[in-house]
Amino acid sequence: MTEVNRLDGRRPSDHATTEWTSRVVGCGSALPERRMTNHEIAAMVDSSDEWIVQRTGIRERRIAADGENTSDLAIGAATSALKQAGIRGSDVDLVVLATCTPDRTMPATAVRVQAALGMTGGVAFDVQAVCSGFVFALSVADNMIRLGQARTAVVIGAETMSRIIDWKDRNSCVLFGDGAGAVVLRAESRTGGPRKGILSTHLHSDGRHQDKIYTDGGTSSTQTAGKVHLEGREVFLHAVVNLASASQEALTANGLTLENLDWVVPHQANQRIIQTLGEKLHLPPEKIVLTVDHHGNTSAASIPLALAEAVADGRIKENDLVLTPAMGSGFTWGAALIRW
C-alpha cells in the first residue's frame, strides 16, 4: 500500500519537492471584562493618571476575574480566530501557545486549548519567551508548516500577568494587563507570483541580561510563581536597539526596505519605547499600530491582540506588508515579516 501523508493526502516524496508557506487566514482575541484605570492604581501606590500616561502611554488595562485562567483567554482567542478563518477546531493539527503565566506547572496550557477546540490529533505545546513569545511561537509553527509537519496551526499569545504583579511596586504594576490573541496559519503551496504569508522570522536571545526583567520565584527555586521586577532604564535602552535591529534584519533578509512596509505591529511594552523605535527607523506614526493605551503590556499576548484589532477595524488588509518586532525578558527578541 502506498504511504500517504495524513496532512493533505500527498505522498511524502511530494512534500520533499513542494515549497510550503504559512498563510494567516484568521485572527482573534479575548479580553477580561474588568477594566482597571490608572486612577485605581493611583489609589494603591504613589502614582497618578498623569504620571502613568506620561511615562508609559497606558490609560487602562484588563484584569482577569477570579477563576479566569490563561487557558480561558487562550480558548476564547483561538475560537474567535478559527471562526474568522471558517475552520473547525477538529481540523487543526498544531497548537503553539506562548505564555509565561500558565495555568499549571504541568501539563502545558496548550493541551487545555487543544481539548476545548475538539482537536484530538496533532500536537499542542507551550513556548516560553515572555514578551517575545508570540514571535517565537509563530516561528515554530511556520517552520513546522514549511517542513510539511503541520497543515493548520493555531498560534496563541495568552497571559494573566496580573497574577505575578506586586501591586505595591509602582515601577511594574502600572505596566501590565491580561488578555489573549491568536492567529490561524494554513499551509499553502507556492504556485509562482509574489509570496504571501510569513516571509521570514528572526529570533535572538542573550542570557547575560536575564536579571533585567525577572520574577523572584519559580518551581525549582522557591516553589512559588514569584513577582515581576524590572530595571526600567536598562530595558528601555536595550529594547530600542534590539527591536530596530530585528526589524532591519527581517527586511534585509527579504530584499525589502522600510518604505515597503504598510504596518509595524510591535510588542506593546511602553508607548515611549514604540515612539523611539519609530523615530530610530524613520517610520511615520500612522504606520505603527498602538494598543498599549487600552491594553497595557500583555506580554506574549500583545502582538496578536494588536493584530486582531487592526484586522477587525480594517487597517490591515490583504497584501499589506506587516512587521512584528518584539523583545522580552531573557533578553529575548525577534521579528516576523508577513505578507497579509
Side-chain angles (χ1 to χ4, degrees):
M1 182 180 292
T2 302
E3 183 184 2
V4 176
N5 188 293
R6 67 175 179 81
L7 297 179
D8 59 5
R10 296 184 184 221
R11 296 180 180 85
S13 59
D14 295 332
H15 284 273
T17 58
T18 300
E19 184 178 354
W20 297 96
T21 189
S22 307
R23 286 292 305 276
V24 179
V25 294
C27 288
S29 64
L31 291 162
E33 289 188 15
R34 183 187 172 194
R35 301 171 186 264
M36 178 180 280
T37 66
N38 292 340
H39 297 290
E40 292 180 70
I41 292 179
M44 296 186 286
V45 295
D46 180 18
S47 187
S48 67
D49 176 65
E50 182 181 11
W51 185 87
I52 296 170
V53 171
Q54 182 180 19
R55 290 177 64 88
T56 70
I58 300 168
R59 298 182 181 277
E60 66 175 32
R61 70 285 295 147
R62 300 294 185 97
I63 303 296
D66 291 343
E68 187 174 29
N69 297 325
T70 294
S71 61
D72 298 316
L73 297 171
I75 291 164
T79 301
S80 174
L82 286 167
K83 182 178 180 181
Q84 187 186 92
I87 294 172
R88 298 175 300 176
S90 57
D91 292 330
V92 175
D93 48 34
L94 174 63
V95 173
V96 187
L97 170 60
T99 186
C100 64
T101 53
D103 288 10
R104 299 173 176 174
T105 302
M106 64 176 183
T109 303
V111 300
R112 287 194 166 196
V113 178
Q114 178 187 30
L117 297 180
M119 171 188 163
T120 57
V123 63
F125 54 90
D126 292 354
V127 167
Q128 218 282 46
V130 200
C131 298
S132 305
F134 179 75
V135 173
F136 277 55
L138 199 68
S139 180
V140 171
D142 176 49
N143 279 297
M144 290 183 70
I145 286 174
R146 287 172 186 258
L147 289 171
Q149 296 175 337
R151 181 172 177 80
T152 304
V154 178
V155 183
I156 311 163
E159 304 282 14
T160 46
M161 295 299 292
S162 61
R163 305 283 160 75
I164 56 172
I165 294 303
D166 179 356
W167 292 102
K168 295 180 180 179
D169 176 11
R170 77 167 187 169
N171 291 321
S172 60
C173 75
V174 303
L175 295 172
F176 296 98
D178 303 333
V183 299
V184 179
L185 302 181
R186 189 78 169 174
E188 290 189 4
S189 57
R190 292 272 328 258
T191 56
R195 184 176 179 182
K196 292 186 178 181
I198 300 176
L199 303 184
S200 63
T201 57
H202 306 268
L203 308 180
H204 301 274
S205 62
D206 187 344
R208 293 174 297 175
H209 304 289
Q210 61 187 279
D211 293 329
K212 303 302 182 185
I213 316 173
Y214 67 99
T215 61
D216 56 10
T219 306
S220 174
S221 58
T222 66
Q223 296 79 59
T224 66
K227 300 297 183 183
V228 173
H229 299 274
L230 57 89
E231 296 181 20
R233 177 172 173 77
E234 285 293 312
V235 172
F236 183 96
L237 294 174
H238 282 275
V240 173
V241 171
N242 290 340
L243 290 169
S245 174
S247 298
Q248 191 59 63
E249 180 183 8
L251 290 166
T252 300
N254 291 280
L256 298 168
T257 67
L258 291 164
E259 288 71 28
N260 297 123
L261 287 174
D262 293 293
W263 297 103
V264 177
V265 185
H267 166 51
Q268 307 287 314
N270 178 312
Q271 188 168 313
R272 290 171 62 202
I273 291 175
I274 296 170
Q275 288 176 337
T276 305
L277 172 65
E279 292 167 3
K280 189 174 182 67
L281 295 177
H282 305 291
L283 286 169
E286 57 269 20
K287 282 193 173 186
I288 301 174
V289 175
L290 273 175
T291 60
V292 69
D293 61 322
H294 53 283
H295 288 165
N297 180 345
T298 55
S299 189
S302 79
I303 286 177
L305 274 171
L307 284 172
E309 184 171 304
V311 169
D313 65 23
R315 277 178 288 177
I316 294 179
K317 303 177 293 297
E318 187 173 359
N319 293 317
D320 279 356
L321 186 64
V322 181
L323 177 70
T324 64
M327 190 189 111
S329 173
F331 286 143
T332 61
W333 69 97
L337 191 62
I338 308 168
R339 178 71 68 181
W340 216 258

